[in-house]
Amino acid sequence: MGEQPMQTSDTTRPAGAPAGPTWTRRRLAGVTAAVAAVGLAVSGTAAALPSGTAPATALGSDGRPADTTLPTGGLSVTGETSPIHDPALVVEGDTWHVFSTGLVNRENGGTVQHWISRDAGVSWEYVGTIWPEIPTWIDERIPGLDNLWAPEVHEDDGTYYLYYSASTFGSSTSLTALATATTLDPEDPDYGWTDQGEVVSSPVVGLPDGKTFNAIDAGIVEDADGTHWMAIGSYWYGIWLVELDWPSGKPVENWQESAVNLADRFVPGNPIEAPYIYEHDGWYYLFVSFDACCAGGDSTYKVAVGRSRDVTGPYLDQDGRDMFGGGGTVILEEHGAMVGPGGQSVADGVLAFHYYDALNEEVPYFPTLGLQRLAWVDGWPVVDQTVEPAAVVGQPQDTQPGRAAVLEAEVTGTPAPVARWQVSDDGATWTDVTVERVHDGTTTLRVPTRDVVGDRSWRVVVENPHGTATSEPVTPWGPPGRS
């Protein structure tokens, strides 16, 4: 869930390691200004309506409230979904949280960012950072630090454990630290993150065969016996598993002696990182990111996986190859507008990742949130990489003329698009009134009779990661195109 730091000196990387990604400080400098420039496309589910307008209702094609069941495959999103890097997904019913890498150059304090969706991952809003600034002790340990990286959130017995990384580009002088909270709701009076200090740091000494790892990208898993483990590592000697003392969340005593080297590609530079272990149906699945992150349009990140009956491995891919030795079945890579997907986490069967958005014209290849609900085929996670830009193929029509208007439009796209119905009193300024994820190719909006007045017009905007389309405006009880 992190990024391999940019190498700044040959003395900071092992022999044969690559020069590193080219996503430089310059590329992300002023990112807050860039966010302001693109407006972060806010589109909540209950936006303010023109005066005198009552909320409209999104309906399923059968006239009942829209289905919220998650399909397998890609899940289109809307709202504030950039800049999200290294997303840690937490699913709690219809309320979903994402924690992500902080902004560089200490913008917004440079600390871990927090995003919330209250409609099962459809529309997102940015709610702030976990702290206003990076703890002083971390600055003392990691001079020149820009931001905190690669968060991971694990809930246990009412406590949320947030692991995060601190490092600088090109250095394996890194650390993973811990913060805890009792709620994820920023509006709860008890909300707040308590600094629990260092978990592990690198360079690491005392590992088998004199190996080491870069102490970033922690992922936490609890095994069938209730033991907690931390998968961690980036490049260098790959991915490691460290046993944790619980409930402290810190490594057990003499943890180096029992640490397990789970994955190593044994190729120049060893481009593997962002480990996340997820249990499903009696198997443990090790998700990792291969190749180069953080180079914008030149990123080659991809997600690979192996599985094991034992949390300590060995993890084999679909061809029986050990991930300690180059194995790993690639399940997600560049497709359509999604460049360099990776930095993943998994929650409730949903794979969260970042990608570099090839369609973002104002901020090219801005890091953006991606979601896939995993399908499971013969015991293996499967994602759908079909690319079909969102489109309106049947313009909105009033299906109940003479009564409360029910507007219906036919749309296509893979992943299934998000539909944002909008209203306007002047045909120029449009306001979102409902947001829904389309399930069956039809999106429907019920408009109360009292809102069908004057020249008030309605339209639908549909979007998925590969395209956006806007319908013609329609005035209920009038022909399509009237505005």
Side-chain angles (χ1 to χ4, degrees), residues 6 392 481:
M6 180 183 298
V392 178

Side-chain angles (χ1 to χ4, degrees), residues 17-65:
T22 57
W23 189 34
T24 62
R25 290 189 179 95
R26 178 171 53 83
R27 182 183 293 272
L28 282 187
V31 69
T32 299
V35 172
V38 300
L40 282 178
V42 178
S43 58
T45 58
L49 302 183
S51 177
T53 303
T57 305
L59 304 176
S61 58
D62 58 1
R64 294 179 297 181

Side-chain angles (χ1 to χ4, degrees), residues 246-264:
W246 212 259
S248 76
K250 304 291 185 70
V252 298
E253 188 175 358
N254 299 321
W255 61 268
Q256 294 93 334
E257 298 176 4
S258 59
V260 181
N261 201 176
L262 294 181
D264 191 313

Side-chain angles (χ1 to χ4, degrees), residues 194-220:
T194 301
D195 181 8
Q196 302 292 352
E198 181 181 315
V199 176
V200 65
S201 62
S202 60
V204 179
V205 297
L207 294 176
D209 302 320
K211 295 181 178 181
T212 189
F213 61 74
N214 193 18
I216 67 172
D217 293 2
I220 309 302

Side-chain angles (χ1 to χ4, degrees), residues 71 77 114 239 248 270 306 353 384 441 456:
V77 296
H114 185 186
I239 307 305
S248 76
N270 200 20
F353 55 94
D384 184 355
R456 181 167 291 165

Side-chain angles (χ1 to χ4, degrees), residues 403-429:
R403 295 182 287 170
V406 175
L407 303 180
E408 183 175 287
E410 300 297 323
V411 302
T412 60
T414 306
V418 167
R420 293 188 288 118
W421 284 94
Q422 299 179 324
V423 66
S424 176
D425 279 336
D426 59 11
T429 303

